[in-house]
Amino acid sequence: MASLTPPQAPPKWNDTPEEVLSVTKQALAQNKAVSDQVAALPEAECNFETLPLANAEAEVLIICEPLGFYQNVSTSKELRDASNQAEVLQRDFDVEESMRLDVFKAKAAAEKNLRKSGEWEKLSDEQRRLVEKMVLDGKRAGLALPEKEREVLMKLKKELSQACLDFNKNFNEEDGLISFTLEELDGVPSDVISGYGKRTEGSKEVYDITFKTPDIFPIFKFAHNPATRRSAQEGYEDRLKQNVPLLEKALDIRRRIAAMLGYDTWADYITEVKMVKSGKNAQDFLDNLEAKLRPVGEKEREILLQLKKEEHEKRGLPFDGEFYIWDYRYYDRVYIEKTLDLDESLVKEYFPVSVVVPTILKIYQDLLGVKFVEIKDDNKDVWHPEVQQFAVWEKDAKDESAFVGYCYLDLFPRAAKYSHAAVWGLLPGYELPSGKRHYPLTAMVANLAKPTPERPALIRHDDVTTFFHEMGHVFHGLLSRTKYARFHGTSVARDFVEAPSQMLENWCWEPKVLEKMSSHYKTQEPLSPELIDKLIRSRYVNVGLFYLRQLFFAKFDLKVHVDKEAADYTKLWNDLRESISLVKGGKAQPGQGTFGHIVGGYDAGYYGYTYSLVFAADMYTTIFKRDPLNPALGKLYRDKILLVGGSRDETDSLEDFLGRPPNSDAFLEEVFGTVANASL
């Protein structure tokens, strides 16, 4: 298979800052030329063939997506800045194009002509969906408004886009530090401390800790001193205070745009094209779930508070009867260690990155019938030497027709790199006008632990689950086969997009999969059945508090997009967290400045993470639970969920996969151990 040559060459990652901008401008100009050509057509000549808009949309994506990606991963500030500017150009261009009345009239005329002539029935389901979506785009863009209002709307959309980009740029470039002495870090595992930078400050030695997840989270979980955890938490929440005015600006513009377009709220505008359909339905879903979770969370909080009281007495610390946000991760861990005798640091020793990554890739390959072939040495072309590049083929590939696409893994932290875990679909898969195929490219960016002087790179079970989840998005991008780029892969309703990956997280809690993925870094032994049992039992420990925290994010996001007036968002953030998450804060910090989802495509959409869990639980329990590594079930999943992407309604895909309409029974059983009052 290594001798097979992919029918499509991978992109080159050698662009200069100047090229990033000039190539972007050229691609946008070519796209505009197609729109001009469509706009010039007489109304009677508008039909499916004369509107080459879908292919033009794909062509501009192919050029601009990789160029806009550099801002998340490049080590060169000049290249990151150019990439950011290129994205500004692209977003502004998209706003202008979306507001072209002449192009919208051509689309509407094409739909009318198709229906009138009887050609509509001859179109495939995906072609009809394309027409309907394109016409709906125009209505949602405000093209029914008078010209003066359209001009104001275009200006507002560009300002909104810029505010979101600036917020994200600050997020990626954040490089703050917090310093503690060794004494203040008491309890933090020594292998974590050995990875921190050390320096002398006056007469004492201090350790510098970044706000990147592998550095700061062990302090939340392990530092015995509550003052250390509090300082770390407050620093973490305060690290992006410069984003506060940008978020205020974005929310203000969204309110104005929603009003201009005739929607009651931004939430109604956003949810109109999602599975949930309205802001009220999203609110009802969250309220209903909160009512079920609150009693569970309150019980859990009491148990953790008692643990805190005991520990404070033992350590001679004052106890004020309160449970704070900086107590939550710490006592969650203490509880698991105490009740299950489960030591997270010990579990971590069984998950060296060098074993976990290839094993997870193999599990996916076997389940879904594909083969990853790493591209190495002189053939490798990536944006950073640590990135792995793969050509992906059907497992029994004989010739180039079995090529699937490309996958890149950029897994380790470095300065100015995107600081969480996410997948970018850099190239879509779709059918070219020639009938041949354009193949997809997906890139996963993560921040797994690096090796320390004492140990190889080891990751927590949480990180294993995150990696497994993100690989789910990778395969959604690779194994989708739609006619149009618009519907490719994860281009599904935003409140369904997480469901396939959330379903796949279940594999990380299956005994035979855990055994396969684990290998102690010293002995190469897998996790013992006893440790596996403890780990599995830890899954739903403090599940009420966990989901209440998710509901806090979702309710903050929904509230700021439903309210008609601006508010003190720092106060709202802290007040809502206390009332919903059941944890007290200390000094009110502007944590909303760290909430990247709200400007990154999940505005009025964070509810979707929990909403889609309902579908994820149903899919897993109904289809996979009986035999999670069965390739026949993997093929069913490929064909019914991944293959179709967004080319049909998500409800239709779910019904096709499940053999019935989806329901919330499995989710409620999973979280509460009961399906009583099963509707959500």
Side-chain angles (χ1 to χ4, degrees):
M1 188 176 293
S3 60
L4 288 175
T5 305
Q8 174 181 306
K12 298 281 184 198
W13 295 96
N14 55 2
D15 303 275
T16 64
E18 295 72 28
E19 284 167 344
V20 165
L21 287 167
S22 63
V23 172
T24 298
K25 286 174 184 169
Q26 194 183 338
L28 300 179
Q30 285 169 346
N31 189 263
K32 185 176 183 303
V34 175
S35 296
D36 291 346
Q37 176 197 328
V38 164
L41 283 171
E43 196 175 306
E45 288 177 32
C46 292
N47 60 45
F48 202 88
E49 280 67 39
T50 58
L51 269 56
L53 295 168
N55 286 323
E57 191 179 87
E59 282 158 17
V60 83
L61 276 179
I62 285 164
I63 294 165
C64 292
E65 286 295 306
L67 299 177
F69 178 61
Y70 279 120
Q71 65 191 291
N72 300 292
V73 293
S74 176
T75 53
S76 155
K77 182 164 184 352
E78 293 72 27
L79 198 53
R80 290 198 307 274
D81 288 347
S83 173
N84 191 271
Q85 287 172 284
E87 191 174 342
V88 171
L89 290 174
Q90 188 189 351
R91 286 187 178 208
D92 284 353
F93 175 80
D94 289 346
V95 168
E96 286 167 17
E97 285 294 291
S98 74
M99 298 296 290
R100 285 190 64 166
L101 192 61
D102 50 2
V103 176
F104 175 65
K105 282 180 173 168
K107 291 176 189 174
E111 183 183 19
K112 191 172 117 194
N113 293 341
L114 285 164
R115 288 183 185 277
K116 213 160 107 184
S117 65
E119 291 296 308
W120 182 257
E121 279 67 38
K122 295 178 190 170
L123 297 179
S124 70
D125 289 346
E126 188 175 343
Q127 287 172 323
R128 284 196 288 266
R129 187 171 174 84
L130 179 77
V131 175
E132 285 168 348
K133 290 277 183 192
M134 282 191 158
V135 173
L136 180 62
D137 287 347
K139 289 173 182 165
R140 285 173 55 76
L143 294 179
L145 295 173
E147 188 180 352
K148 272 212 163 47
E149 286 184 44
R150 286 201 311 275
E151 282 169 14
V152 173
L153 190 58
M154 194 185 319
K155 186 168 170 288
L156 286 174
K157 285 181 176 180
K158 286 182 179 178
E159 284 177 22
L160 174 59
S161 171
Q162 188 62 55
C164 293
L165 272 171
D166 290 346
F167 187 114
N168 280 326
K169 189 166 192 278
N170 290 337
F171 199 88
N172 285 349
E173 309 248 317
E174 184 276 314
D175 61 355
L177 295 169
I178 187 164
S179 306
F180 294 107
T181 63
L182 192 57
E183 188 188 4
E184 288 169 326
L185 293 173
D186 179 40
V188 178
S190 57
D191 67 307
V192 173
I193 293 174
S194 70
Y196 294 152
K198 188 162 60 164
R199 63 186 168 83
T200 305
E201 191 178 85
S203 61
K204 56 184 182 178
E205 262 192 348
V206 295
Y207 291 82
D208 287 335
I209 292 110
T210 73
F211 292 119
K212 302 282 186 274
T213 309
D215 281 358
I216 198 78
F217 272 50
I219 295 178
F220 300 150
K221 295 190 86 153
F222 294 101
H224 292 319
N225 187 340
T228 301
R229 298 197 307 271
R230 178 176 184 160
S231 296
Q233 179 69 44
E234 290 183 347
Y236 188 66
E237 289 261 309
D238 192 49
R239 74 191 192 278
L240 284 162
K241 54 180 171 288
Q242 68 271 40
N243 276 343
V244 166
L246 292 169
L247 180 60
E248 285 171 2
K249 184 177 183 180
L251 294 173
D252 175 59
I253 295 171
R254 285 171 182 163
R255 279 190 292 274
R256 289 160 69 189
I257 290 174
M260 286 184 79
L261 293 174
Y263 292 88
D264 190 37
T265 67
W266 183 261
D268 285 333
Y269 169 65
I270 289 293
T271 53
E272 179 186 35
V273 289
K274 293 188 179 174
M275 293 183 79
V276 82
K277 298 301 179 212
S278 74
K280 185 186 181 306
N281 288 347
Q283 188 69 54
D284 289 349
F285 169 76
L286 295 174
D287 289 346
N288 197 345
L289 188 54
E290 187 186 359
K292 288 183 166 72
L293 286 167
R294 181 169 279 278
V296 181
E298 282 169 347
K299 260 188 225 159
E300 292 166 357
R301 180 184 173 280
E302 282 310 308
I303 292 165
L304 297 189
L305 191 59
Q306 184 58 35
L307 278 180
K308 179 181 173 178
K309 183 170 186 278
E310 288 165 16
E311 175 155 329
H312 276 232
E313 282 168 4
K314 195 172 84 184
R315 294 183 182 276
L317 296 165
F319 177 70
D320 62 4
E322 296 291 359
F323 193 70
Y324 295 98
I325 175 132
W326 54 85
D327 292 327
Y328 167 61
R329 290 183 196 276
Y330 181 82
Y331 287 104
D332 183 56
R333 173 192 60 79
V334 168
Y335 178 81
I336 287 169
E337 285 182 9
K338 204 165 178 153
T339 56
L340 297 174
D341 188 26
L342 181 64
D343 179 352
E344 189 182 295
S345 298
L346 172 64
V347 171
K348 192 165 91 164
E349 293 180 2
Y350 287 86
F351 292 120
V353 171
S354 59
V355 172
V356 170
V357 171
T359 307
I360 288 179
L361 286 182
K362 184 165 186 335
I363 288 168
Y364 269 107
Q365 290 171 87
D366 293 347
L367 182 69
L368 297 172
V370 294
K371 180 85 181 150
F372 272 50
V373 178
E374 189 162 3
I375 300 169
K376 293 183 172 179
D377 306 323
D378 292 348
N379 294 322
K380 177 177 167 179
D381 190 326
V382 290
W383 53 86
H384 188 273
E386 288 180 346
V387 177
Q388 290 177 278
Q389 180 185 12
F390 298 91
V392 187
W393 298 82
E394 297 291 351
K395 75 165 190 287
D396 49 2
K398 304 277 189 298
D399 56 43
E400 66 171 38
S401 69
F403 183 62
V404 171
Y406 291 103
C407 171
Y408 294 67
L409 301 179
D410 184 351
L411 300 180
F412 302 102
R414 58 180 179 270
K417 177 185 156 182
Y418 180 81
S419 59
H420 289 276
V423 171
W424 275 261
L426 294 178
L427 298 179
Y430 68 101
E431 200 176 288
L432 295 162
S434 64
K436 287 189 171 175
R437 186 136 196 90
H438 183 275
Y439 295 93
L441 183 159
T442 55
M444 189 210 290
V445 178
N447 286 273
L448 302 179
K450 283 192 159 184
T452 70
E454 287 82 28
R455 291 173 164 191
L458 302 172
I459 56 175
R460 300 171 307 139
H461 180 257
D462 276 5
D463 297 319
V464 176
T465 308
T466 298
F467 186 80
F468 215 94
H469 172 107
E470 296 300 340
M471 284 308 299
H473 291 311
V474 164
F475 280 95
H476 206 163
L478 285 172
L479 296 177
S480 168
R481 254 187 115 79
T482 56
K483 186 174 175 65
Y484 298 105
R486 175 179 186 133
F487 300 128
H488 175 76
T490 53
S491 301
V492 294
R494 260 291 162 95
D495 46 5
F496 181 72
V497 75
E498 296 297 333
S501 287
Q502 287 168 332
M503 178 195 76
L504 289 154
E505 287 180 24
N506 286 286
W507 274 248
C508 299
W509 302 95
E510 285 290 346
K512 56 182 158 189
V513 180
L514 283 166
E515 194 181 331
K516 225 183 240 277
M517 287 194 298
S518 56
S519 172
H520 193 277
Y521 79 99
K522 282 183 182 167
T523 65
Q524 282 74 58
E525 289 290 314
L527 283 164
S528 66
E530 184 195 10
L531 258 181
I532 286 175
D533 179 57
K534 287 176 182 177
L535 193 58
I536 290 167
R537 283 194 289 133
S538 76
R539 184 178 188 182
Y540 295 112
V541 167
N542 299 326
V543 72
L545 288 173
F546 172 81
Y547 280 117
L548 285 171
R549 185 171 173 274
Q550 288 296 303
L551 289 190
F552 149 62
F553 291 129
K555 287 197 146 192
F556 176 86
D557 164 48
L558 206 56
K559 182 161 176 55
V560 299
H561 288 113
V562 165
D563 286 356
K564 303 289 177 68
E565 301 291 330
D568 177 342
Y569 295 118
T570 298
K571 184 176 186 313
L572 180 66
W573 176 268
N574 288 274
D575 288 353
L576 273 184
R577 181 171 63 197
E578 191 169 321
S579 67
I580 297 169
S581 305
L582 308 179
V583 292
K584 275 186 90 70
K587 186 175 158 197
Q589 299 287 42
Q592 73 276 19
T594 70
F595 193 17
H597 290 81
I598 212 161
V599 296
Y602 279 86
D603 42 308
Y606 197 90
Y607 76 89
Y609 276 104
T610 314
Y611 191 77
S612 58
L613 271 172
V614 172
F615 306 127
D618 199 2
M619 289 193 287
Y620 182 70
T621 305
T622 307
I623 304 296
F624 278 110
K625 182 137 186 69
R626 62 183 181 270
D627 194 0
L629 295 175
N630 184 339
L633 300 178
K635 184 169 185 335
L636 181 74
Y637 171 65
R638 256 188 90 160
D639 293 348
K640 307 294 189 187
I641 300 291
L642 302 184
L643 185 84
V644 295
S647 64
R648 64 178 174 182
D649 270 4
E650 292 73 20
T651 310
D652 294 340
S653 294
L654 280 167
E655 287 195 21
D656 196 11
F657 182 56
L658 296 167
R660 57 161 173 77
N663 64 51
S664 60
D665 293 359
F667 176 73
L668 292 166
E669 174 67 39
E670 196 178 285
V671 176
F672 302 106
T674 173
V675 289
N677 309 314
S679 66
L680 267 181

